[in-house]
Amino acid sequence: FCRAIALPLSSKLGVRDKQRPKAQPNPMLETFYSTRCKNPEEGELISLAKQCDLPVRKVERWFRCRRNTDRPSLSKKFCEACWRFTFYITSFFTGLAVLYDKPWLWDHRECWTGYPQQPLQPSLFWYYLLELSFYWSLVFTLPFDVKRKDFKEQIVHHAATIFLISFSYCANYIRIGTLVMVIHDASDCFLEPTKIFNYMKWKKTCDSLFMIFSAVFLISRLVIFPYTVLYNTYYYSMEIFQPFFGYYFMNGLLIILQLLHVFWSCLIIHMVYKFILQGTTEKDMRSDTEESDKDEEREKIREKEQNGITYFSNVTSNNYIQRNGSEPLKNRTHLTNGHVKER
């Protein structure tokens, strides 16, 4: 999908990868980068600079360029967002098509009617298989996907989701599982197109979709999910049978998901707050940003400040010379009576 559809689409929509300067070949620095640390501290930079007989700033710039080389390109992010958007929109509408005529979608107590003797319909089986295969694919492609700052949280989320889908299938918690999947897909349908328009530099469309996504995410994950799923599994199920191992295991996984919802909600609320103050969304807090631009600007500012200090010291020294009357002769005018007049 990424090679045949998303990548050609990115070029047609004007998504261009930024030209990054490549780090000069240096075996010693490359060995340190690959085996020790990708972001060395100041003491390590000084030691490496002495070993390579290079200025410290040049070594620091080498590591910066090397880190930027490993960062995913804009087209790769675009392709990943396109693929996930295609899946989430397909999965969400598949879930609605499967569940719209099911009684437990409207009356949540129906999730436990006749449990555990609840027949598995073919449509529910294929819906489960679609979701489970996607999350297993995310686990298999984890080393190759775009790594974000919440990488560890993503691993926990994928593991909890796979355990939840698999266990709910084995314990015949099918009805609860379908509700969980539909609720999660609802907000993801708006997240991925927000990323797509951000990569296309369509700021107004991106900002509008981000606000819609924020509202859908906060309502679905912090209101609908606890009321529809958590309250259902904690209290309604107690009316049918006494707690057993499956009760505790299922609710434990659901609580892990809810804690992740709270974590991501905090990030989203912070971005919404920035949007209200600044009028535009800041960069994705989960994304790892380029270092070259901001660090180069810092270096330029530092150099300007140093040049300004040098210029200021020259000016003050010249003024000091002028005040002491020892300036060059070209700045003096000789009068006819032999006196000197200052210009």
Side-chain angles (χ1 to χ4, degrees):
F1 178 89
C2 291
R3 293 179 182 177
I5 299 176
L7 194 58
L9 183 63
S10 67
S11 61
K12 289 184 178 180
L13 293 177
V15 178
R16 298 287 182 267
D17 292 332
K18 185 177 181 180
Q19 296 295 327
R20 299 168 176 167
K22 294 183 178 181
Q24 296 295 328
N26 191 310
M28 185 176 297
L29 297 180
E30 185 66 35
T31 302
F32 186 92
Y33 180 86
S34 57
T35 58
R36 293 277 302 278
C37 177
K38 295 183 178 181
N39 195 359
E41 297 179 356
E42 186 176 358
E44 295 173 325
L45 288 173
I46 296 174
S47 176
L48 289 170
K50 291 180 180 179
Q51 295 176 22
C52 299
D53 195 19
L54 294 172
V56 178
R57 184 176 295 181
K58 198 167 185 178
V59 175
E60 184 181 4
R61 189 174 299 169
W62 186 95
F63 276 95
R64 187 189 315 140
C65 294
R66 186 66 180 83
R67 286 193 297 269
N68 286 335
T69 304
D70 286 348
R71 286 189 172 85
S73 62
L74 201 62
S75 59
K76 183 178 180 180
K77 293 180 180 180
F78 179 90
C79 293
E80 180 185 293
C82 279
W83 157 241
R84 295 194 179 190
F85 171 69
T86 303
F87 170 79
Y88 287 131
I89 200 74
T90 303
S91 177
F92 178 66
F93 283 104
T94 299
L96 291 181
V98 169
L99 295 177
Y100 81 98
D101 59 344
K102 302 299 187 293
W104 64 86
L105 181 63
W106 314 105
D107 184 5
H108 307 317
R109 291 178 183 267
E110 289 292 327
C111 291
W112 309 108
T113 302
Y115 183 84
Q117 303 298 326
Q118 295 175 342
L120 176 61
Q121 300 178 11
S123 58
L124 297 178
F125 168 76
W126 288 108
Y127 180 47
Y128 250 70
L129 194 62
L130 175 68
E131 292 277 355
L132 183 61
S133 61
F134 174 73
Y135 283 102
W136 269 115
S137 73
L138 292 183
V139 173
F140 293 143
T141 60
L142 209 56
F144 313 104
D145 289 339
V146 176
K147 288 183 175 60
R148 305 185 186 277
K149 294 179 181 179
D150 60 346
F151 180 73
K152 296 179 180 179
E153 289 81 1
Q154 286 286 346
I155 295 176
V156 174
H157 175 267
H158 297 342
T161 304
I162 290 173
F163 276 116
L164 190 60
I165 295 175
S166 303
F167 180 78
S168 64
Y169 180 84
C170 296
N172 209 22
Y173 285 125
I174 301 295
R175 297 182 179 182
I176 285 292
T178 54
L179 294 179
V180 174
M181 292 187 292
V182 167
I183 291 172
H184 279 72
D185 290 340
S187 58
D188 291 332
C189 290
F190 294 98
L191 173 62
E192 302 305 328
T194 302
K195 296 179 183 178
I196 291 173
F197 285 110
N198 182 40
Y199 302 146
M200 293 168 56
K201 309 299 182 184
W202 291 20
K203 289 298 298 178
K204 292 184 178 180
T205 308
C206 173
D207 293 342
S208 302
L209 281 174
F210 173 74
M211 298 306 295
I212 297 173
F213 159 73
S214 301
V216 173
F217 185 94
L218 296 176
I219 293 173
S220 62
R221 305 291 180 95
L222 299 184
V223 179
I224 297 177
F225 182 80
Y227 173 74
T228 303
V229 177
L230 293 180
Y231 189 82
N232 197 354
T233 56
Y234 267 91
Y235 296 103
Y236 286 167
S237 62
M238 297 282 286
E239 299 176 357
I240 308 299
F241 52 82
Q242 293 298 318
F244 65 108
F245 170 76
Y247 171 87
Y248 297 108
F249 188 74
M250 183 81 169
N251 284 296
L253 294 174
L254 292 174
I255 285 296
I256 291 175
L257 284 183
Q258 185 59 28
L259 292 176
L260 292 172
H261 295 164
V262 174
F263 170 75
W264 284 316
S265 297
C266 292
L267 297 181
I268 292 172
I269 291 172
H270 180 73
M271 294 180 69
V272 171
Y273 177 73
K274 289 288 186 181
F275 176 80
I276 294 174
L277 291 182
Q278 300 176 0
T280 182
T281 55
E282 63 177 13
K283 293 182 179 179
D284 188 358
M285 297 176 65
R286 299 164 55 221
S287 298
D288 204 4
T289 56
E290 294 273 353
E291 293 180 83
S292 57
D293 294 339
K294 60 183 182 182
D295 289 341
E296 288 293 341
E297 288 177 2
R298 288 174 185 171
E299 287 185 3
K300 289 179 181 178
I301 292 173
R302 196 181 305 156
E303 291 176 357
K304 286 181 179 179
E305 289 177 351
Q306 292 177 353
N307 293 335
I309 292 172
T310 305
Y311 174 76
F312 179 76
S313 62
N314 291 337
V315 171
T316 53
S317 62
N318 288 336
N319 290 336
Y320 176 79
I321 292 172
Q322 291 174 8
R323 285 196 302 269
N324 285 276
S326 57
E327 62 175 328
L329 294 176
K330 64 181 180 180
N331 292 330
R332 302 181 180 183
T333 304
H334 291 271
L335 300 180
T336 55
N337 57 5
H339 294 281
V340 178
K341 179 182 179 182
E342 298 290 340
R343 287 181 182 178

